[in-house]
Amino acid sequence: MAKIRVLCVWMILIGLLANPIRVVAEAGEIQREERGNEEEGAVLIDAPSGVLMEAETGSILFEKDGDTRRSPASITKIMTLILIFDALEKGTLQMEDMVTTSSQAKSMGGSQVFLEEGETQDVETMIKCIVIASGNDASVAMAEHICGSEKEFVRRMNLRAKKLGMENTNFEDCCGLTDSPNHYTTAKDIAVMSRELVTKYPKILDYSSIWMENITHVTKQGTKEFGLTNTNKLIRSYEGCVGLKTGSTSVAKYCLSAVARRNEVTLIAVVMAAPDYKVRFRDAASMLNYGFSRCNIYIDRNLKELPKIPVKKGKRDAVPLKVENQFKYLNTNGESVGKITRKLKIHREVEAPVKKGVQAGELVYFADGKEIGSVRILYDKNVPRITYGDCMKKILELL
């Protein structure tokens, strides 16, 4: 029995000695695993700056040094395209308008489509030259056509940037060819202007998704075809990629703003100062994969007509309502949004005068019973207070 007791003691001692070693080993594995998770975001891209944005809501899903000012190279042309489409929306510019290339526009170096001085192309062709082939000559020709000079066009670019809240951006030309330290923006600001372009003017994606197309040069030397090839290689290599713009100079290195769509989710991946073109495309694809694996979006596109609210002492018996904004909800945990229900909260009755645009209530949204957001409900008409004369007129009409 004594021998058995001694043996048991030895087994217990061995167990106590072994277990701490095992526990420490397990703890070490856990720590290494946690560090790996922390580093996942940091190693998502190799470039020094990058931002991933969901286009419908403007939500930032990933950011690495997103506010550092850097040279954007031809990413600048995103703002140039915004101003072009602004002019098209206002009606001061038409797709069929002919644009004449000046000697200044012809003299631009870097990426170009080799427009000759005096050569004319319609606006739509110029847009293709800018967004597909990143033509510096086409950009300057369009700037001069819209504003009379590139200088004035650039002034408007900076005003537009300020309106979008791009506080860390300043442009000195319309194409990004300059090496000036005063021509700068950030990855976050690029995402903001990219979102403005693709959400306000989705027509741009019809052009930025073209892989190859020919244009025709008609000059004094004769007529010849010229091939445009998209500088954004993700158009062919990444599922769902529909644009948007590349850029590279010795100062800016390699930049990209890539737009991709899958399952109603539109993502914008911005890369700045990548060491080579392969890294910028790989980093953008890495961010897009990260976003698509986590994002599900709900957009209320089937809102039923809202009821009218009765008006007391008004010139109208009831006032119509409208939703201030379309409801959008982004779920970023990788799960489905769930069953959506709505609850309308409005006044049962309102007393005149009623002013158009004033809040009348709200429409609250729930996913599987949990509140996820709301939109304001506004009065859609002015309803003045009824006067004594109005009352008399109504009585006479009834009589």
Side-chain angles (χ1 to χ4, degrees):
M1 287 294 291
K3 288 182 178 180
I4 293 172
R5 283 197 296 270
V6 170
L7 182 61
C8 289
V9 169
W10 274 107
M11 289 178 68
I12 291 168
L13 287 171
I14 290 168
L16 288 170
L17 288 169
N19 282 337
I21 294 170
R22 182 178 61 82
V23 171
V24 170
E26 287 177 355
E29 288 171 6
I30 291 168
Q31 288 170 2
R32 283 196 296 274
E33 183 180 348
E34 287 176 351
R35 281 199 298 270
N37 289 337
E38 288 171 1
E39 291 168 2
E40 181 185 353
V43 301
L44 187 60
I45 65 172
D46 292 322
S49 288
V51 163
L52 179 67
M53 176 184 282
E54 192 281 317
E56 286 286 351
T57 62
S59 301
I60 300 292
L61 307 176
F62 171 84
E63 180 179 351
K64 178 183 177 182
D65 205 21
D67 291 318
T68 296
R69 295 176 176 182
R70 300 182 187 276
S71 175
S74 286
I75 301 288
T76 300
K77 296 184 178 83
I78 293 174
M79 184 57 75
T80 298
L81 290 163
I82 289 175
L83 263 63
I84 291 171
F85 277 88
D86 282 347
L88 288 166
E89 184 185 50
K90 291 174 186 175
T92 56
L93 186 69
Q94 305 294 328
M95 284 290 191
E96 303 78 21
D97 290 350
M98 301 306 294
V99 180
T100 302
T101 303
S102 68
S103 59
Q104 174 65 17
K106 178 193 181 305
S107 69
M108 302 305 297
S111 56
Q112 54 188 307
V113 294
F114 301 100
L115 297 169
E116 292 292 333
E117 182 180 355
E119 179 181 348
T120 59
Q121 297 284 355
D122 63 33
V123 168
E124 186 172 41
T125 300
M126 288 293 198
I127 290 172
K128 291 177 181 178
C129 290
I130 295 169
V131 74
I132 299 172
S134 196
N136 295 323
D137 44 3
S139 298
V140 174
M142 282 302 302
E144 293 173 341
H145 182 80
I146 292 172
C147 290
S149 70
E150 185 184 6
K151 183 178 179 180
E152 173 59 20
F153 189 85
V154 171
R155 187 185 73 82
R156 295 190 194 180
M157 288 171 68
N158 286 316
L159 286 175
R160 192 70 161 84
K162 289 294 184 289
K163 287 181 180 178
L164 288 173
M166 297 166 60
E167 297 299 330
N168 288 309
T169 296
N170 186 70
F171 299 115
E172 289 209 339
D173 71 9
C174 68
C175 57
L177 190 59
T178 179
D179 289 336
S180 169
N182 289 322
H183 186 93
Y184 56 80
T185 186
T186 67
K188 193 178 289 183
D189 279 1
I190 289 173
V192 168
M193 69 175 175
S194 298
R195 179 183 181 230
E196 174 74 359
L197 181 59
V198 301
T199 57
K200 188 170 184 179
Y201 304 118
K203 178 70 176 174
I204 188 63
L205 299 176
D206 293 341
Y207 302 118
S208 64
S209 58
I210 295 170
W211 175 241
M212 296 181 75
E213 186 165 317
N214 287 345
I215 64 168
T216 303
H217 287 299
V218 180
T219 65
K220 294 176 181 178
Q221 287 75 38
T223 301
K224 61 180 179 180
E225 294 287 306
F226 181 80
L228 307 177
T229 302
N230 206 314
T231 57
N232 182 5
K233 307 308 177 188
L234 291 183
I235 294 295
R236 299 192 75 185
S237 64
Y238 191 86
E239 180 188 351
C241 184
V242 288
L244 180 65
K245 195 72 200 70
T246 63
S248 63
T249 63
S250 59
V251 174
K253 297 184 181 179
Y254 291 85
C255 306
L256 171 67
S257 178
V259 178
R261 285 176 170 172
R262 290 183 189 174
N263 301 321
E264 293 195 330
V265 174
T266 301
L267 299 179
I268 300 166
V270 177
V271 177
M272 295 194 78
D276 60 57
Y277 72 93
K278 291 181 180 178
V279 170
R280 72 176 170 190
F281 292 130
R282 186 176 68 234
D283 282 354
S286 180
M287 284 191 283
L288 292 170
N289 287 337
Y290 174 86
F292 285 127
S293 70
R294 287 160 172 77
C295 287
N296 286 290
I297 193 165
Y298 170 78
I299 303 173
D300 192 356
R301 293 192 174 97
N302 300 306
L303 186 63
K304 295 179 181 178
E305 186 177 352
L306 295 171
K308 294 181 178 180
I309 294 181
V311 180
K312 290 173 61 179
K313 302 177 183 179
K315 288 190 175 184
R316 298 170 64 102
D317 295 330
V319 58
L321 304 174
K322 68 175 182 179
V323 175
E324 183 177 37
N325 294 302
Q326 187 179 50
F327 180 77
K328 300 169 185 175
Y329 172 69
L330 181 68
N331 185 342
T332 59
N333 62 11
E335 299 176 359
S336 64
V337 174
K339 183 181 178 182
I340 301 295
T341 55
R342 311 177 188 89
K343 185 175 182 180
L344 183 61
K345 297 180 179 180
I346 56 173
H347 301 300
R348 292 185 178 180
E349 190 178 54
V350 63
E351 185 171 320
V354 177
K355 189 175 181 181
K356 181 179 179 180
V358 171
Q359 184 171 357
E362 62 178 356
L363 185 59
V364 185
Y365 289 79
F366 302 85
D368 292 333
K370 181 181 178 181
E371 185 175 336
I372 57 173
S374 62
V375 290
R376 298 202 314 158
I377 303 297
L378 310 178
Y379 295 117
D380 199 25
K381 294 281 186 183
N382 289 321
V383 182
R385 192 176 181 88
I386 197 167
T387 64
Y388 176 78
D390 294 324
C391 292
M392 292 302 298
K393 185 178 178 182
K394 213 173 237 188
I395 291 169
L396 289 172
E397 286 173 353
L398 289 171
L399 290 173

